[in-house]
DNA sequence: CTGAAAGCGCTTACAG
DNA sequence: CTGAAAGCGCTTACAG
């Protein structure tokens, strides 16, 4: 057997072990019907020869399908963020679909818990080989994760990490750290006499953990600057599914302290604040928020928003499908916490982020 | 022939055309020995049926090797930047080596033109199927590109774009735009009474175009602010391969205008300026530069450097190998100008860039 | 110019 | 518990 010339094959292992290729295959895939002795011998040789199967040949002979389920919010006029993970998934499929991977989309309504439950039920009926999950409704998502864990279905969480250990991976941002980045940018550009307002747009019974973490990170940064005591770092919570008078609320909050010079919005609703600032002609604020929504980009370009922090939603999709590919097909280990870089976006580098 | 049930195969095309699979294959790969009439008929059917070959089966049967050459600088104590493209290439190989792709490294000395010429000669002897090229020595690199073009070898340029049209792709940063990003960051944090110093570390007969472009972008941004006229945006060129007295030169330049408040270094040598500022106890400067060298990271962490802009060298390597894979194996078209995002790095988001 | 056969490395029934 | 044979979809000599 010429070991050094070419790659070693199942056939070579079989010859060395004095068995047929079929038996080696049985051992390789742990599908039983092999005597303990034979098994041990074959495993020894595989190990000695450092044999690795050719996945191309394997996939070709297998004709197996790997239907992945994407259980994420539907893109909507009021939530355009969610089209990007889907784009990333499509892109990842370009590299992996040859191996039998495909994606079924179960898109639920971001504001409707019931629809999440329905879609997840539908999904389980179709017995997916892997799941990409955005845990928007924390408790219900936890149930899905539990169920997948019981059925041996690997789950990749995106955007928010509620994993207790039974997930294949999490792909998303380190929220606390991203709050610190926001604070750095604020501090770098704000004169020391100005106060800061932190605005949280909050949704009832939705997952707020990342919002809280961002605020926590922001405050953590400022804890190194004692002059920014509690009263100079005020906080405003606005309930979102209220038919709220945003301008009114904001006006009151900003007027409450005329020394407010910087505003940090802990999620993508920063355009609401930008809207208010523009219409009230108050252009002398440092304004920092999240995500490249069209409205946010508009205000970034016009200079009302100073910085946006991107959660790289496209990359979340891309990495999640590739993680499942590595796990299911290549049978390689997958990094558990895949924190994406915390991207800082200005007018000037926005152009090269178009597809992110 | 069941068209809708399963994917269509070469065999199906052959049956429809009333020929053998071999003949279809000859047409698919344009290797002649087929009558014009048969050829036309087969092409028609391929088109009608929207047939796409299975690359797994193709690769498996082919056993062809695709040896890619990486003609880039050797990593060195004085140039650690260049280890990252190599890392990215390795990472890309993980996804593509099943298809027969491999990489031969031709690492030249960044400071020695002769070594570039030698390595490129060596490379051509081994007849690579594709080339990843860092055009450090502009003129000599142009000759390599020309030669590849003549021999039909696709070239992916990384880091600097000197392509006249005969390259498969360029992967790197938009230098002009990155200068504008640097200016935005400077302007955002600098009080309006401070002057700015632009420092170019320049190497004899090396490729300086990206440095000049960065300065140009920086000035372009400031052209919107007339108060920053020429004399408030001074420039300092330091020749690098001189055994220069950097501190002395810098001291003189900074002292020349006591109102200097911001320093922009147009490449990775920003640590030299940071060193000087630290040792001279001048900590009240805004300092912005390029690349995540260890020394630069050190000064970023200690607060002497405010921002670093990353050229994403790892991703340059990754994308270049994937581009060649798409071109050579998948035979898909490849985007010509692959501008990478212009990443802004602070102490706070540095952690998640460790491998970039 | 065209076809039949063997092969790439692995897997899947089937027979024993 | 094990092996021989056929097959995945494409390609490569070889024969005509």
């Amino acid at each position: 057997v010429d070991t050094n010339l070419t790659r070693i094959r199942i056939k070579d292992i079989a010859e060395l072990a004095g068995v047929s290729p079929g038996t080696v295959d049985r051992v390789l895939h742990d599908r039983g019907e092999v005597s303990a002795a034979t098994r041990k011998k074959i495993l020894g040789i595989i190990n000695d020869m450092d044999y690795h199967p050719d996945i191309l040949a394997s996939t070709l002979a297998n004709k197996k399908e790997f239907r992945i389920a994407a259980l994420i919010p539907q893109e909507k006029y009021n939530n355009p963020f969610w089209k990007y993970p889907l784009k990333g998934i499509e892109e990842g499929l370009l590299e992996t679909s040859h191996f039998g991977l495909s994606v079924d989309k179960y898109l639920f309504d971001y504001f409707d818990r019931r629809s999440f439950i329905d879609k997840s039920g539908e999904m389980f009926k179709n017995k997916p080989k892997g799941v990409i999950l955005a845990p928007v409704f924390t408790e219900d998502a936890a149930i899905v994760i539990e169920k997948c864990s019981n059925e041996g279905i690997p789950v990749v969480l995106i955007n928010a990490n509620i994993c207790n250990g039974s997930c294949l991976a999490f792909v998303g941002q380190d929220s606390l750290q991203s709050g610190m980045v926001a604070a750095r940018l604020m501090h770098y550009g704000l004169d020391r006499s100005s106060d800061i307002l932190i605005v949280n747009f909050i949704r009832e019974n939705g997952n707020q953990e990342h919002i809280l973490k961002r605020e926590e990170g922001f405050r953590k940064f400022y804890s190194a600057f004692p002059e920014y005591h509690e009263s100079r770092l005020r906080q405003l919570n606005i309930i979102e599914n209220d038919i709220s008078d945003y301008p009114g609320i904001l006006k009151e909050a900003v007027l409450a302290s005329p020394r407010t010079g910087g505003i940090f919005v802990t999620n993508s609703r920063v355009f609401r604040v930008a809207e208010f600032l523009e219409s009230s002609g108050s252009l002398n604020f440092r304004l920092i928020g999240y995500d490249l929504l069209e409205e946010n980009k508009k205000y970034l370009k016009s200079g009302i928003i100073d910085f946006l922090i991107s959660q790289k939603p496209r990359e979340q999709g891309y990495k999640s499908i590739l993680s499942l590919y590595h796990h299911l097909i290549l049978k390689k280990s997958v990094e558990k916490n895949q924190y994406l870089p915390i991207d800082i976006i200005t007018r000037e580098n926005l152009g090269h982020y178009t597809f992110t």
Side-chain angles (χ1 to χ4, degrees), chain A:
Chain A
V1 197
D2 51 339
T3 318
N4 39 2
L5 284 183
T6 69
R7 172 174 191 151
I8 62 167
R9 305 152 300 171
I10 249 187
K11 204 178 155 192
D12 303 319
I13 304 293
E15 277 172 26
L16 286 168
V19 299
S20 75
T23 302
V24 177
D25 192 72
R26 275 183 275 260
V27 171
L28 277 172
H29 297 89
D30 247 330
R31 43 190 169 86
E33 310 190 18
V34 181
S35 77
T38 318
R39 186 181 140 80
K40 196 173 169 194
K41 185 172 183 188
I42 292 176
L43 283 177
I45 295 173
I46 285 174
N47 195 42
D48 291 351
M49 308 291 288
D50 190 30
Y51 168 74
H52 293 281
D54 179 330
I55 27 154
L56 293 209
S58 170
T59 309
L60 181 62
N62 231 319
K63 296 276 93 191
K64 220 189 289 179
E65 292 209 348
F66 295 89
R67 308 186 73 82
I68 306 298
L71 187 56
I72 60 181
Q74 167 111 52
E75 179 204 348
K76 262 198 160 175
Y77 63 97
N78 55 359
N79 213 349
F81 179 87
W82 288 100
K83 77 176 150 191
Y84 297 104
L86 225 41
K87 272 194 187 168
I89 289 173
E90 304 288 357
E91 211 176 289
L93 233 30
L94 247 49
E95 313 282 354
T96 57
S97 62
H98 314 115
F99 295 94
L101 250 74
S102 63
V103 168
D104 296 323
K105 300 167 194 165
Y106 301 90
L107 306 180
F108 58 87
D109 184 330
Y110 185 79
F111 294 99
D112 178 5
R113 190 182 151 202
R114 189 69 237 164
S115 101
F116 175 81
I117 296 171
D118 290 349
K119 288 289 174 184
S120 67
E122 208 181 297
M123 174 187 89
F124 278 114
K125 270 191 209 119
N126 294 328
K127 307 231 167 275
K129 287 284 199 318
V131 172
I132 297 171
L133 172 64
V136 171
F137 300 98
T138 317
E139 289 167 35
D140 306 288
I143 295 171
V144 169
I145 294 172
E146 172 86 17
K147 203 168 169 192
C148 284
S149 169
N150 290 338
E151 303 189 11
I153 304 171
V155 175
V156 177
L157 243 37
I158 66 173
N159 211 253
N161 193 356
I162 62 160
C163 199
N164 50 15
S166 55
C167 295
L168 179 67
F170 160 70
V171 183
Q173 195 163 73
D174 181 336
S175 300
L176 186 100
Q177 204 61 34
S178 87
M180 293 192 70
V181 171
R184 154 70 55 203
L185 294 169
M186 186 64 84
H187 192 62
Y188 176 79
L190 198 64
D191 68 285
R192 299 297 175 260
S193 61
S194 291
D195 290 357
I196 296 170
L197 180 66
I198 301 171
V199 181
N200 298 317
F201 284 88
I202 288 177
R203 204 160 61 81
E204 270 169 11
N205 89 55
N207 184 353
Q208 305 175 10
E209 209 163 333
H210 56 296
I211 288 180
L212 300 178
K213 279 282 174 194
R214 288 165 182 173
E215 178 173 348
E216 187 187 335
F218 194 88
R219 290 185 183 276
K220 185 176 168 196
F221 176 93
Y222 270 106
S223 68
F225 300 87
E227 67 271 29
Y228 275 90
H229 42 73
E230 195 71 21
S231 71
R232 296 191 57 201
L233 266 178
R234 285 169 314 118
Q235 185 221 50
L236 172 66
N237 289 335
I238 300 180
I239 306 295
E240 256 216 290
N241 51 3
D242 208 348
I243 312 169
S244 301
D245 169 26
Y246 300 119
I249 298 172
L250 285 165
K251 193 170 179 181
E252 200 177 319
V254 173
L255 287 182
S257 158
R259 285 195 321 204
T260 301
I263 303 177
F264 172 48
V265 182
T266 54
N267 65 15
S268 65
R269 310 314 188 276
V270 58
F271 65 88
R272 294 237 160 88
V273 177
E275 242 161 41
F276 159 71
L277 292 180
E278 184 175 53
S279 67
S280 68
S282 345
L283 303 180
N284 233 344
F285 288 84
R286 303 300 195 188
L287 180 56
I288 297 174
Y290 282 81
D291 297 333
L292 300 180
L293 308 192
E294 285 308 319
E295 290 122 313
N296 289 348
K297 287 197 227 172
K298 189 182 94 186
Y299 288 112
L300 186 68
K301 283 180 194 156
S302 73
I304 301 203
I305 295 177
D306 290 290
F307 294 102
L308 288 170
I309 292 176
S310 167
Q311 295 188 76
K312 292 173 100 55
R314 202 208 90 261
E315 193 141 340
Q316 289 184 20
Y318 183 82
K319 287 213 165 191
S320 57
I321 191 84
L322 257 80
S323 294
L324 286 166
Y325 162 68
H326 280 254
H327 177 73
L328 294 168
I329 315 270
L330 303 186
K331 310 213 184 292
K332 282 189 199 151
S333 71
V334 168
E335 215 181 322
K336 193 123 193 164
N337 286 305
Q338 301 181 37
Y339 289 117
L340 298 178
I342 298 167
D343 276 348
I344 301 168
I345 317 294
T346 73
R347 245 164 298 175
E348 288 72 23
N349 66 355
L350 177 61
H352 297 306
Y353 276 90
T354 314
F355 300 104
T356 304

